[in-house]
Amino acid sequence: MPNPERLNLDRKRLGSCPLLEGEERLKLLNYQNNLITEIANLHNLPNLVFLDLYNNNITHISNLGCVPTLRVLMLGKNNIEKIEHLDDLPRLDVLDLHNNAIRTVENLSHLTDLRVLNLAGNRLKEVSNIRNLTALTELNARRNSIETLNDLDTLPHLHRVFLSSNKLETFQSIECCLDCKSLTELSLDGNSVFQESQYRWVMVDRIKTLKQLDTRRVTDEERKQAPGMIKREEDKRKEAQKLMAAQEERNDALSFFNATWNMDAGSCYTDPSLKTNPKRKGFVELQDTQGAYVLHVYGDGAEPQWEPDKAAGIRHVVFEYISIERVCTVFIPTLKQLPNLHSVALAFNNCSDLNQLAGLGELPHVEQLTINDNRVLRLTKLLKPFCIMILPQLKKLNDVTLDVEDRSSAEQKFGPFARLLSSSLSPCGGPSHRSLAQNLCIRPLHVNESRSKAARQYVDGILHHTKTIDAKIQCLAQSWNDLVDDLIVETLVELQTDQLAHKDFYALE
């Protein structure tokens, strides 16, 4: 026998709400899955408490003032853009407006008995204007574009909140959730804040009443561990921020060096921002490469300081944006104490003369030398033999392996000078065991000053003469093709002139 309190008109292809006569006892009316465009013809249903208009074509909430007894209103999956005309429903307990086109939460403040509010699948960017919903126990706002939450912490009976798939990015954006006093179930998956490393620990620790978070039960063990895990994650975050700040300072300093390096002065311009980024003055860093360390030195203000326990592991040293004079006078004496150093790289050091490299000879075990972005590279004929003579263990120069022919050439160019200088600087007049590089470095010596001065003048003269010849050879090489072309043209012109002269002579005869 039909129930006079229920009427099911689901899927009847209704385009409007029909006038229902003789249904005064009706309490539950189902209009789901029809084509209804307007709420109408409810005035003769004085006992109606449940109205379901899910999945129709309704665009406005209207004509509900005649059913003040209504407790449940289901308007999901329609085309409603605004919450309105609910003033005459003071007893409303459940309001379902999911899957509509609502942009603002409004006109709800008089619904003080409302317990369930479903706004999922709308176009909300903010949850607000719900402070007066003091009886609210459940809020569903999934699948919106919510960036900000308000008023949730003012609702004393709010137990369940569903905010999955929104645009809540930080803990600050969900602060009012964290301050809820009675929340037992919360869902925030699908938001950026959900990806925070300590997200779950913070939520469990801050919301003491929480029993389920993102469909997972909150255990007593989690609640005990939460404070410690939060501290651990916070320490990690601070360390990461510290490393990031140091990296930013480093990158800023390198950009500054690159932009302001003065090739003529051999240093960087004075920078007023040194107080905010001291690395712009210069710094040293160690890079771990599979157990071996690379020592990077940047800037003239850098000091030879690194962890003593890592000294034995330093295999490579790179000097950038630091003058060659400072490299030789400040760093080389300290680098001599590194037992396993075998590679040195130079770049942007204002090195233009061979004598400036002589200090590298204090590192006799160096097997590889790389020189970039220095004017000394222009001395193409002399640089290789000179480096071979000051570094007897050298095997590679600028990534090119040195062979027997290279060493023979170095001996021919600099061997006699090295032996002369070595014997001239020997206090006893006999052979000296000092390297050419050591002898080229000017420093106080207890030797015969006149012989020392003569030797240095002789070597400097030879080097200057050799550099001049090398420059002339380079100049000739650059202009040789043009000279030959000009000579050929002149010869052809002379031949042509001679031929014309002979023709004129025979013509006269």
Side-chain angles (χ1 to χ4, degrees):
M1 186 174 183
N3 188 339
E5 295 183 354
R6 295 172 177 266
L7 179 60
N8 185 4
L9 297 175
D10 182 17
R11 303 180 191 277
K12 300 298 183 182
R13 299 185 180 180
L14 300 174
S16 60
C17 297
L19 180 61
L20 302 175
E21 296 182 348
E23 298 288 351
E24 291 80 4
R25 296 173 58 186
L26 191 66
K27 293 184 178 181
L28 189 152
L29 178 57
N30 182 5
Y31 280 132
Q32 282 189 18
N33 304 304
N34 283 288
L35 304 172
I36 299 170
T37 58
E38 182 183 11
I39 304 172
N41 296 323
L42 301 176
H43 57 276
N44 57 343
L45 304 175
N47 295 306
L48 191 65
V49 296
F50 190 106
L51 177 60
D52 193 346
L53 287 156
Y54 170 79
N55 193 22
N56 280 279
N57 295 323
I58 298 170
T59 58
H60 294 86
I61 302 174
S62 60
N63 301 319
L64 292 171
C66 58
V67 284
T69 56
L70 200 64
R71 301 292 300 272
V72 178
L73 178 59
M74 313 293 284
L75 288 169
K77 204 172 182 182
N78 280 280
N79 299 312
I80 299 168
E81 296 184 356
K82 186 175 182 179
I83 303 174
E84 57 185 345
H85 302 141
L86 298 174
D87 307 64
D88 297 320
L89 303 177
R91 300 178 64 186
L92 198 63
D93 186 68
V94 176
L95 177 59
D96 186 352
L97 293 168
H98 78 279
N99 284 22
N100 280 282
I102 298 168
R103 296 179 181 275
T104 305
V105 182
E106 57 186 339
N107 301 320
L108 296 175
S109 58
H110 60 285
L111 301 179
T112 54
D113 286 345
L114 190 68
R115 292 188 309 108
V116 178
L117 176 60
N118 188 352
L119 295 169
N122 280 279
R123 301 175 184 175
L124 301 175
K125 291 188 176 181
E126 180 182 19
V127 172
S128 58
N129 301 321
I130 59 173
R131 183 178 292 268
N132 291 336
L133 305 182
T134 53
L136 194 68
T137 62
E138 180 177 319
L139 171 64
N140 186 352
R142 291 186 176 101
R143 304 188 314 279
N144 280 277
S145 299
I146 297 170
E147 300 174 353
T148 307
L149 300 174
N150 297 294
D151 301 337
L152 298 184
D153 53 336
T154 66
L155 306 178
H157 302 293
L158 187 63
H159 298 316
R160 294 176 296 279
V161 175
F162 307 104
L163 293 163
S164 305
S165 303
N166 279 285
K167 295 183 177 180
L168 298 165
E169 297 185 352
T170 64
F171 286 116
Q172 185 176 358
S173 66
I174 60 169
E175 188 66 31
C176 63
C177 276
L178 299 174
D179 293 333
C180 285
K181 299 296 188 294
S182 57
L183 202 60
T184 60
E185 187 174 350
L186 176 63
S187 178
L188 285 165
D189 53 301
N191 290 277
S192 296
V193 69
F194 180 79
Q195 304 299 327
E196 290 282 344
S197 59
Q198 52 183 342
Y199 160 76
R200 188 171 179 87
W201 300 114
V202 170
M203 305 305 292
V204 170
D205 184 62
R206 288 286 301 273
I207 308 175
K208 306 298 184 184
T209 56
L210 201 61
K211 295 181 179 179
Q212 188 159 309
L213 177 61
D214 302 311
T215 70
R216 281 177 53 197
R217 187 173 67 89
V218 176
T219 65
D220 292 338
E221 187 65 24
E222 275 184 305
R223 205 172 295 284
K224 291 178 182 178
Q225 293 178 358
M229 295 301 297
I230 291 173
K231 185 179 183 306
R232 187 180 305 174
E233 292 294 332
E234 184 65 18
D235 291 343
K236 286 183 181 179
R237 185 185 64 81
K238 289 181 179 179
E239 183 63 24
Q241 288 180 340
K242 184 179 178 181
L243 292 174
M244 186 179 297
Q247 185 65 28
E248 288 177 355
E249 280 189 357
R250 177 187 184 277
N251 293 341
D252 171 74
L254 293 180
S255 297
F256 169 74
F257 293 150
N258 185 58
T260 61
W261 177 261
N262 184 336
M263 288 294 291
D264 294 324
S267 62
C268 288
Y269 299 118
T270 302
D271 177 33
S273 67
L274 287 175
K275 293 182 179 179
T276 57
N277 185 4
K279 277 188 168 60
R280 286 193 174 193
K281 183 180 179 182
F283 63 96
V284 173
E285 64 181 12
L286 274 177
Q287 177 186 1
D288 190 351
T289 57
Q290 298 179 346
Y293 291 104
V294 180
L295 177 67
H296 292 270
V297 182
Y298 302 101
D300 268 344
E303 296 292 339
Q305 298 174 348
W306 47 83
E307 296 89 332
D309 58 320
K310 296 180 180 178
I314 298 177
R315 306 285 181 84
H316 316 277
V317 180
V318 180
F319 293 99
E320 292 189 50
Y321 304 107
I322 175 173
S323 66
I324 188 64
E325 286 78 10
R326 186 165 178 82
V327 170
C328 293
T329 58
V330 176
F331 279 87
I332 295 298
T334 307
L335 295 181
K336 290 165 60 177
Q337 303 171 15
L338 302 179
N340 297 309
L341 178 64
H342 72 264
S343 171
V344 174
L346 299 170
F348 302 105
N349 314 104
N350 199 44
C351 181
S352 57
D353 191 270
L354 293 177
N355 279 336
Q356 292 176 292
L357 295 172
L360 297 178
E362 300 280 345
L363 307 172
H365 301 297
V366 169
E367 298 177 355
Q368 184 170 337
L369 176 63
T370 304
I371 303 174
N372 291 308
D373 300 295
N374 282 284
R375 289 196 176 113
V376 74
L377 292 171
R378 298 177 182 179
L379 305 177
T380 55
K381 302 296 183 183
L382 298 176
L383 180 61
K384 184 188 293 185
F386 185 82
C387 291
I388 291 173
M389 291 305 296
I390 64 172
L391 297 168
Q393 300 297 322
L394 194 64
K395 296 179 180 178
K396 279 189 176 181
L397 176 63
N398 288 344
D399 294 325
V400 176
T401 301
L402 304 176
D403 55 24
V404 176
E405 186 177 344
D406 293 324
R407 298 190 181 282
S408 177
S409 175
E411 173 64 24
Q412 291 177 4
K413 285 185 171 66
F414 290 103
F417 309 146
R419 287 189 290 274
L420 172 63
L421 190 60
S422 177
S423 61
S424 297
L425 293 178
S426 175
C428 303
S432 170
H433 297 290
R434 296 168 56 84
S435 69
L436 171 63
Q438 290 173 312
N439 291 327
L440 284 173
C441 293
I442 299 175
R443 60 170 63 85
L445 293 171
H446 300 290
V447 298
N448 188 316
E449 290 298 331
S450 60
R451 296 172 65 190
S452 174
K453 183 176 180 180
R456 288 197 180 93
Q457 289 177 347
Y458 177 73
V459 171
D460 288 343
I462 294 295
L463 289 175
H464 177 74
H465 182 63
T466 307
K467 286 166 58 178
T468 302
I469 292 174
D470 187 64
K472 289 179 178 179
I473 290 173
Q474 291 187 29
C475 181
L476 181 60
Q478 293 173 358
S479 59
W480 177 255
N481 290 335
D482 293 335
L483 290 174
V484 172
D485 290 343
D486 292 342
L487 182 60
I488 292 172
V489 171
E490 290 177 0
T491 303
L492 291 174
V493 170
E494 288 179 4
L495 289 173
Q496 188 175 12
T497 302
D498 290 342
Q499 290 175 358
L500 291 173
H502 281 84
K503 287 182 178 179
D504 292 341
F505 175 79
Y506 289 117
L508 289 174
E509 288 184 340

